[in-house]
Amino acid sequence: MPDWEHPHTEQIPFTPANGFVLDLTEVSSLPEGFYTGLVDYQKEAESAEAFLIILATPSAWAPGAFTTVPSVRLIRPSAKEIAEAHLRYLAPGRLDWLTGDPLVALLAGAAQASDAARLARLVAEADKDDRDAVRQEFTDWKDHLQRWFETHSSPEDLRERALLIAAALLEGAPANVVLEAADQLFAEVGGVLPPGGALAGRDLDERLRAIEASPVGIESISLDEERHGLAEAAVKYVWRQRPTLRRALLEWALHISGPNGAAVRHLRHVADSLARLSLLPGGAMVLSVASTWIDNGGNAHRELAMEVLENMALHPLTGPGVRKQFYDWAQQKGTSEQLATAVAEICAGKLGRTYPRLALTRLRLLASREDGRARETVARAVRALADIPERRTLVLSEVIGWSESADEKVRRAGTMTFLALTEDASGPSAVPTTAPGAPSVCNDAEVSPLFVRGWRAALLEPSTSARAYGQLAAWLDSPDLSDEQVLPLTAAVLRGRIGQEGPAALLVSHGTDLGRARRRTLLDQLFSEQTASRTLTSGSQSGGDSLPTTA
């Protein structure tokens, strides 16, 4: 689905002989312009033999007389039917599990389709015929954890509660890491460790029995080994049942993940756990604390916060809201340099590889900021996305679209970003040559016209014209680019304009020996073409936009 706040039909693709699904089930209402725009889209899609299926709720879909679109009203099957359909595929031999105790009651009433699919998966993945364990895991081990915390409620049990939480957050981590993290949590909430340090207290095996954990591998600790899913469920249980502990839990997670922290080698695991907490009541605190860590924290704060935000942005449930927050941060005037930089870096990573158009939209907003915050990071981010061969054409077309925008800020951002794509610290290089085996500029049928448009837009934009001429001159002088790469492209950019001051100055300017030879070749070719054109048109001049002169 395109990245938009309100659906626009002009953004819906109609690639020939392809089909598309537009999911509008989360849209509460559709504007009149969307329905009227579908009329034009239908014509274009029909001529291209493309197909579009729109998913919408009955309350949102009201085309009236604006457009005629075939519609089918679907009735959702029951949760039990959904679970049975999944299980017929995953484990048909266990279909009877859904019809008897203790699982039959789990899908009663208004159970969600996602719950039905999850129950089917748990049944299929069960190691043995233990249906009660499946029920416990499906209900997040609520009964088990409630009994455990009731049993371990005395003051002398507080260290074991801290150990359970540490083992849950760091599922599968080495015992020494979990024990040290548990002691830090115990101290974080005001507990006083007994004198004697590592010699004090009960032995490891006894403590593991107390929290019902198992040793695995080489001195590692697992709650999931005997009760699959218990680790995640335990962290969720504590978050739900101890709301006044939430901020302390977040600060503790930060401390153990920081430099020299007990769990410094388990940063991604901690970030995954915190991202899952953001799905729960009070989960907005995770996003708030993460943004505060980026603004006011040190390197440890920032590293963990970046991991958490990236995980949240890619999660199926938290993703839409967090990506919308990135959109808001990218354009809000009050966004700090640190936060703007963080958004750009996240867009350059997994988010950009998964949702490139969405990431580019946020990078466009950042690049268009009048305060210039994170501008260099934005340029690096766009270049990182362009360095992915299968994304190169998409990135170029998006950036050049900005550079041709009617909006002055967007146009300036586009030309500056395009110029950032055509140079790096080691010297000028065309984006299509940054990856081994990538096609050259002039031989790539999709990329070559884009580069011509990009250069022309950059030369026409007053704020980037001088820089663009300088970089184009550097391309002509560069031995890193072959004649086949640079000459046809430069000729296409300057064609019909050699009589203007800017292009003329470029062609006669001093440069390297290689650059001067290329300029002579270009000058001969462009003069010959212009003379031939004048002869054919009886002296008429070439059309096209006029390129500006250099300062």
Side-chain angles (χ1 to χ4, degrees), residues 61-191:
W61 184 254
F66 295 121
T67 184
T68 302
V69 177
S71 63
V72 178
R73 184 178 291 268
L74 301 176
I75 299 176
R76 196 192 78 177
S78 69
K80 182 173 177 293
E81 290 174 315
I82 294 172
E84 288 174 343
H86 279 262
L87 210 51
R88 285 192 192 97
Y89 174 75
L90 297 172
R94 293 182 173 181
L95 271 171
D96 62 308
W97 286 31
L98 300 175
T99 58
D101 291 332
L103 304 184
V104 65
L106 296 179
L107 298 179
Q112 297 294 314
S114 58
D115 291 334
R118 177 169 173 257
L119 179 59
R121 177 177 55 80
L122 294 178
V123 169
E125 293 176 353
D127 292 334
K128 51 189 176 182
D129 191 350
D130 189 348
R131 305 183 191 192
D132 188 63
V134 173
R135 181 188 69 82
Q136 288 275 21
E137 184 175 357
F138 181 77
T139 58
D140 277 338
W141 294 97
K142 183 177 179 180
D143 295 343
H144 171 83
L145 289 166
Q146 189 173 3
R147 287 194 300 269
W148 190 90
F149 275 92
E150 287 175 354
T151 304
H152 297 78
S153 58
S154 62
E156 57 268 23
D157 290 323
L158 294 183
R159 282 192 75 193
E160 307 316 329
R161 286 189 171 196
L163 180 60
L164 175 70
I165 296 170
L169 186 78
L170 300 170
E171 165 65 24
N176 64 309
V177 172
V178 176
L179 292 171
E180 185 179 343
D183 284 346
Q184 287 188 32
L185 176 59
F186 183 62
E188 187 88 25
V189 296

Side-chain angles (χ1 to χ4, degrees), residues 310-393:
E310 182 179 71
N311 290 352
M312 290 174 67
L314 292 169
H315 194 281
L317 296 180
T318 58
V322 174
R323 296 193 293 266
K324 176 61 167 63
Q325 184 63 69
F326 289 172
Y327 186 97
D328 293 340
W329 282 339
Q331 65 178 348
Q332 288 170 352
K333 290 184 178 180
T335 302
S336 67
E337 178 83 29
Q338 296 91 328
L339 197 54
T341 299
V343 171
E345 290 180 1
I346 292 173
C347 287
K350 288 183 180 178
L351 180 64
R353 293 192 293 274
T354 307
Y355 302 110
R357 288 187 185 276
L358 185 146
L360 286 165
T361 297
R362 282 137 189 82
L363 292 171
R364 171 178 58 77
L365 292 172
L366 289 168
S368 302
R369 293 181 68 95
E370 293 184 355
D371 56 23
R373 288 176 180 170
R375 186 165 291 164
E376 292 184 3
T377 308
V378 170
R380 289 195 297 271
V382 175
R383 189 174 186 93
L385 295 178
D387 280 344
I388 304 171
E390 60 271 22
R391 299 288 188 221
R392 183 167 297 123
T393 301

